[in-house]
Amino acid sequence: MAAPTQITTVVFDLGGVLIDWNPRYLYRKLFTDEQEMNTFLETIVTSDWNEEQDAGRSLAEATTYLVAKHPEHRQMIEHFYGRWSEMLGGAIPGTVDILTELRDSSRYRLYALTNWSAETFPIALEQFEFLHWFEGIVVSGTEKTRKPFPDFYHLLLSRYNIEPQHAVFIDDNERNILAAKEVGLHTIHFQSPEQLRTELQAFELLD
């Protein structure tokens, strides 16, 4: 771990760290059988399919592609983006509290690096005031690349003149953490607000 005085910048992932997003919040309203819902989420509207939108594919193109592949699920597929806002469970309060403390200390530069569709991100910007606290947010759908590809991390670093050895990156996805380490960032694999606080205290970024 770096000496505490070396850390000048904290970079947050958003979904799963600050914002609770889960397709189940929507699809539990639409399916009466939990197993049937899980099968749909795991085999039709998969994470791999969703990541293509995070990397810049349009929602219309994504929906058309999947409906053509699974016409029997047309309505359920169309609800994915048609009712996307219902997948937002709200802020994760404990992590927002941590972000508030970091902001109020005025000691650190705060950024976000997120895999998110450019078309749905404005919904989050409108709903969550704390997203406006960051000096910059790099959105994968806008840049047409995403985590864990190295160019996405380098884009953040170069755009905001961040030296990776002086920054710590927080993400709930271990794959993204490993990639961040490869570009030289200090990392925290997020599991809970309590664990995050403990690890930030170890860096002496929080009291």
Side-chain angles (χ1 to χ4, degrees), residues 6-63:
Q6 289 184 301
I7 302 298
T8 61
T9 303
V10 183
V11 182
F12 282 82
D13 173 40
L14 296 179
V17 175
L18 283 160
I19 297 170
D20 179 14
W21 176 85
N22 193 326
R24 285 171 173 78
Y25 293 141
L26 167 64
Y27 283 103
R28 283 198 176 106
K29 302 174 186 177
L30 304 176
F31 283 91
T32 56
D33 182 270
E34 186 87 1
Q35 185 54 53
E36 186 181 351
M37 177 195 71
N38 288 333
T39 299
F40 174 78
L41 294 175
E42 291 163 11
T43 64
I44 309 298
V45 289
T46 64
S47 58
D48 287 345
W49 171 75
N50 185 55
E51 282 189 339
E52 291 299 317
Q53 288 72 269
D54 289 347
R57 180 168 63 180
S58 75
L59 307 188
E61 181 183 354
T63 302

Side-chain angles (χ1 to χ4, degrees), residues 79-93:
H79 284 321
F80 194 95
Y81 289 115
R83 297 175 61 175
W84 182 88
S85 63
E86 295 176 57
M87 300 181 190
L88 290 172
I92 299 174

